[in-house]
Amino acid sequence: MANVLSKKFLLSFLLICLVLSPPQARAVITCDTVFNDLKPCLNYVLVGGNVPAECCNGLKSLIVKAITTADRQSICSCLKSLATTATDEQVDRAASLPGKCGVKVPFKISRDVDCTKVK
């Protein structure tokens, strides 16, 4: 009888823990989202010139959407992946966008950023 009660108690305890524990955060933002929001920045990153207002609006929109750590890490990973195929000048222009747009991005835009450390 005591064995049955302890099993029921353990099962009840585990069920309560599952219900009360916060869910694992999964990224909602995909690389498609990143590309679509930052598409207006493409010409600036590729060849330079003036940063279009639509680019800054897209960057601001993307950062506002990044409500979880997983979202921010996903954005970082997408940008890092794109940076691996870009020239140094293109990476430098991309990295300058937050400053030019007045947007705080929670990671450095570079090939070397460790996206797992983005919070």
Side-chain angles (χ1 to χ4, degrees), residues 59 63 72-84 88 91-99 103-119:
L59 181 59
I63 296 304
R72 291 183 287 277
Q73 288 176 345
S74 178
I75 293 169
C76 178
S77 294
C78 294
L79 293 177
K80 181 177 179 175
S81 176
L82 290 171
T84 61
D88 289 343
V91 173
D92 289 344
R93 284 191 289 270
S96 75
L97 284 172
V103 178
K104 186 176 185 320
V105 175
F107 54 85
K108 183 180 176 188
I109 297 173
S110 78
R111 293 181 189 104
D112 303 323
V113 65
D114 183 352
C115 296
T116 64
K117 293 185 179 179
V118 173
K119 298 295 173 199

Side-chain angles (χ1 to χ4, degrees), residues 4-54:
V4 170
L5 286 176
S6 64
K7 285 182 181 178
K8 283 185 180 181
F9 175 77
L10 180 61
L11 185 59
S12 297
F13 177 76
L14 290 174
L15 184 61
I16 290 169
C17 288
L18 284 173
V19 169
L20 296 178
S21 67
Q24 289 286 332
R26 291 205 166 86
V28 174
I29 297 177
T30 65
C31 287
D32 284 342
T33 304
V34 173
F35 178 77
N36 287 333
D37 282 358
L38 299 182
K39 193 174 183 178
C41 304
L42 191 58
N43 193 57
Y44 170 76
V45 171
L46 292 177
V47 296
N50 293 321
V51 177
E54 297 84 12

